[in-house]
Amino acid sequence: QVQLQESGPGLEKPSETLSLTCAVSGYSISSGYYWGWIRQPPGKGLEWIGSIFHRGNTYHNPSLKSRVTMSVDTSKNQFSLKLSSVTAADTAVYYCVRHVGYYDNWGQGTMVTVSS
Amino acid sequence: EIVMTQSPATLSVSPGERATLSCRASQSVSSNLAWYQQKPGQAPRLLIYGASTRATGIPARFSGSGSGTEFTLTISSLQSEDFAVYYCQQYNDWPPGTFGQGTKVEIK
């Protein structure tokens, strides 16, 4: 059974860089699939942030204007997200996901609040 | 970017009744359409992919249909655990693989 678990600070200051990690168990990242991040502001819908293929190819939502950096660590079976220059608009629950177009496995989500 | 529009925004249904949720794409997405269920405080859960294929462990009362630009999720007989928000997502044009805004199914 594939399990994903997000970790990272729950509070970031404006203009700082948000950093999250997703630990994967039950499946080896290097075996395939895309690994991504989706966020959900309080009371709102779902927004795809970006994804990384196990070989390192990355894709991100153009709306985030290159603030996104993603990486994968196959030795630790985890992948990471960095979102720079955060503002209050980046306050959301952040989910890590496995996908092949559709998202078949989700982490439980981690709330990140951007506030001074 | 393909825009996904779900209707209605809120659906009030009595337990045991049928619920029909709609999702429309601004251009054809073929059958590359998924449905998710999200309960309060939980992550979304994949219900349907390929427009009509149930994901592992999803009860048979959930069914999906459609292709091109018009899709439907039907819950044949609503159970108490089915009251939730449902999202459609197209992955024909990925990235970004856009989501609809969601339909909330509430108890009538």
Side-chain angles (χ1 to χ4, degrees), chain A residues 95, chain B residues 37-45 80-86:
Chain A
Y95 297 101
Chain B
Q37 176 194 66
Q38 186 178 32
K39 297 178 182 179
Q42 296 184 18
R45 176 177 68 148
S80 57
E81 62 266 30
D82 300 335
F83 292 96
V85 178
Y86 293 82

Side-chain angles (χ1 to χ4, degrees), chain A residues 45, chain B residues 4 6-10 21 85-88 99-104:
Chain B
M4 307 301 293
Q6 292 185 241
S7 61
T10 303
L21 290 67
V85 178
Y86 293 82
Y87 293 95
C88 63
F99 290 92
Q101 79 280 18
T103 290
K104 181 180 181 181

Side-chain angles (χ1 to χ4, degrees), chain B residues 64-76:
Chain B
S65 63
S67 66
T69 62
E70 300 283 344
F71 301 88
T72 301
L73 174 69
T74 302
I75 311 171
S76 60

Side-chain angles (χ1 to χ4, degrees), chain A residues 19 23 116:
Chain A
S19 295
S116 55

Side-chain angles (χ1 to χ4, degrees), chain A residues 26-96:
Chain A
Y27 188 87
S28 172
I29 286 180
S30 57
S31 294
Y33 281 91
Y34 287 88
W35 304 89
W37 295 91
I38 290 172
R39 69 182 182 180
Q40 184 172 38
K44 296 188 178 180
L46 301 163
E47 179 186 32
W48 172 73
I49 298 170
S51 296
I52 187 166
F53 193 51
H54 68 97
R55 292 176 181 172
N57 313 62
T58 59
Y59 309 84
H60 66 269
N61 193 324
S63 70
L64 294 169
K65 294 187 172 125
S66 299
R67 294 194 292 133
V68 173
T69 302
M70 298 184 64
S71 61
V72 62
D73 185 339
T74 54
S75 67
K76 295 182 178 179
N77 214 40
Q78 63 186 36
F79 60 102
S80 300
L81 167 72
K82 292 185 186 298
L83 181 65
S84 63
S85 304
V86 296
T87 69
D90 295 309
T91 293
V93 176
Y94 285 74
Y95 297 101
C96 59

Side-chain angles (χ1 to χ4, degrees), chain B residues 78-98:
Chain B
L78 271 161
Q79 307 298 303
S80 57
E81 62 266 30
D82 300 335
F83 292 96
V85 178
Y86 293 82
Y87 293 95
C88 63
Q89 178 236 342
Q90 68 81 18
Y91 52 95
N92 190 66
D93 175 31
W94 187 92
T98 43

